[in-house]
Amino acid sequence: MFRHQGKSRTLSHNLQIAIVLSFVAGIVNVSGYLAISQLTTNVTGHFALFINDLANLEFWKGTIYFLYIFSFLMGAFTSSMLIEKFRENKKLNVFVLPTLIESLLLILVAALSNVTGMLDPNLIACMLLFAMGLQNSYVTKISNAVVRTTHLTGLFTDLGIEISQLFFRKAHPNREKIKATIQLRAYIISCFFLGGLLGGFLYVRLSYQLNTLLLGALILIISLFYDDLRFRFIVTRRKYKQKKKFN
């Protein structure tokens, strides 16, 4: 799920990581909005508000939206930098680092939110946007830009295009590939929705508040451990088969 890259990566790997990360993004999206009434998984709306404030010559007011955008950008930059820096280390799964940082940020926001006055709403937004920038960057690199999990605008656009292609057999004969891609988009959208639904339930009905983010962090950490254990199991099994073959 996290390890396979390039030609060794399959639709199954992309589906697994899409389900996990879109579910987490859904939790973050709803939790952030309920807590501070700001979008915390993408910057499209913030960019529009930033431009609006600049157009009205309210430069200082627009600064906060610039910081939101910059936080997402720095998250994506940091994730990519870590991946590129440690790419040559064959013993290290380079995608572990940005995923762990994202998990720690979610835990930190949840923990500090329990201390009255410790977290300013703008700081919460910046931290969550940084975390989502990290996620969007590393999942883009892992899947070779096939999977996006923090926002749905591009997904619905791609989904609309691909559904329309099914009506034109001659121009798009590779229908199985198109159907597989549609399935992937549908899983991402569905899991984003379910993550948001669960996040909203925990936040409002059970009064977990921003502690709901702990669930997102837990899912990420469990996924990393599962991925590592599964990889070790596959490697051990291959070595055993090779040894048995030569014996």
Side-chain angles (χ1 to χ4, degrees):
M1 179 166 56
F2 285 93
R3 288 178 176 273
H4 294 86
Q5 301 170 55
K7 294 180 179 179
S8 66
R9 191 160 190 87
T10 65
L11 174 64
S12 176
H13 297 136
N14 284 337
L15 275 174
Q16 289 171 22
I17 201 164
I19 288 169
V20 170
L21 297 185
S22 58
F23 192 84
V24 171
I27 292 172
V28 173
N29 186 51
V30 169
S31 301
Y33 187 78
L34 290 174
I36 58 174
S37 299
Q38 295 288 352
L39 299 174
T40 53
T41 58
N42 68 84
V43 294
T44 307
H46 300 315
F47 194 82
L49 292 169
F50 173 61
I51 295 299
N52 179 66
D53 288 338
L54 290 185
N56 292 324
L57 302 180
E58 296 178 319
F59 301 111
W60 184 249
K61 184 181 176 183
T63 302
I64 190 59
Y65 296 112
F66 172 77
L67 288 176
Y68 290 173
I69 297 165
F70 186 71
S71 296
F72 192 92
L73 173 66
M74 286 306 297
F77 170 79
T78 302
S79 181
S80 184
M81 280 287 289
L82 288 170
I83 291 167
E84 293 299 332
K85 181 175 176 60
F86 294 101
R87 189 181 290 278
E88 299 303 319
N89 188 342
K90 301 298 182 183
K91 294 182 179 180
L92 176 69
N93 179 2
V94 292
F95 297 104
V96 166
L97 295 174
T99 311
L100 282 177
I101 294 172
E102 179 187 352
S103 303
L104 290 173
L105 279 170
L106 297 183
I107 293 170
L108 185 61
V109 172
L112 292 179
S113 69
N114 294 313
V115 183
T116 306
M118 278 294 291
L119 273 184
D120 178 80
N122 292 323
L123 181 58
I124 292 174
C126 287
M127 291 174 74
L128 293 182
L129 284 164
F130 185 91
M132 291 296 97
L134 280 166
Q135 178 174 304
N136 206 43
S137 179
Y138 71 72
V139 75
T140 299
K141 278 185 166 291
I142 292 174
S143 67
N144 196 26
V146 172
V147 178
R148 303 293 174 96
T149 59
T150 63
H151 52 280
L152 301 181
T153 308
L155 279 169
F156 275 105
T157 303
D158 293 338
L159 185 61
I161 291 169
E162 288 152 3
I163 291 174
S164 72
Q165 289 174 349
L166 292 176
F167 292 91
F168 300 93
R169 291 175 177 269
K170 290 183 179 180
H172 305 282
N174 195 350
R175 297 173 65 80
E176 292 305 314
K177 184 178 180 180
I178 295 171
K179 287 179 180 178
T181 309
I182 290 173
Q183 182 188 28
L184 176 63
R185 313 282 186 215
Y187 269 103
I188 295 172
I189 293 167
S190 300
C191 290
F192 191 93
F193 171 77
L194 290 173
L197 198 63
L198 179 60
F201 177 79
L202 294 175
Y203 191 103
V204 177
R205 294 292 182 180
L206 300 185
S207 299
Y208 279 17
Q209 305 298 311
L210 282 173
N211 290 315
T212 304
L213 297 173
L214 294 174
L215 175 61
L218 181 64
I219 290 170
L220 289 173
I221 292 168
I222 289 174
S223 298
L224 284 176
F225 274 107
Y226 166 77
D227 198 54
D228 187 60
L229 287 172
R230 186 169 179 272
F231 176 76
R232 290 175 185 274
F233 172 75
I234 291 171
V235 170
T236 303
R237 187 174 63 178
R238 283 177 182 173
K239 286 181 178 179
Y240 174 76
K241 284 183 177 181
Q242 287 178 352
K243 186 177 180 181
K244 190 176 180 181
K245 184 179 178 180
F246 286 110
N247 288 339

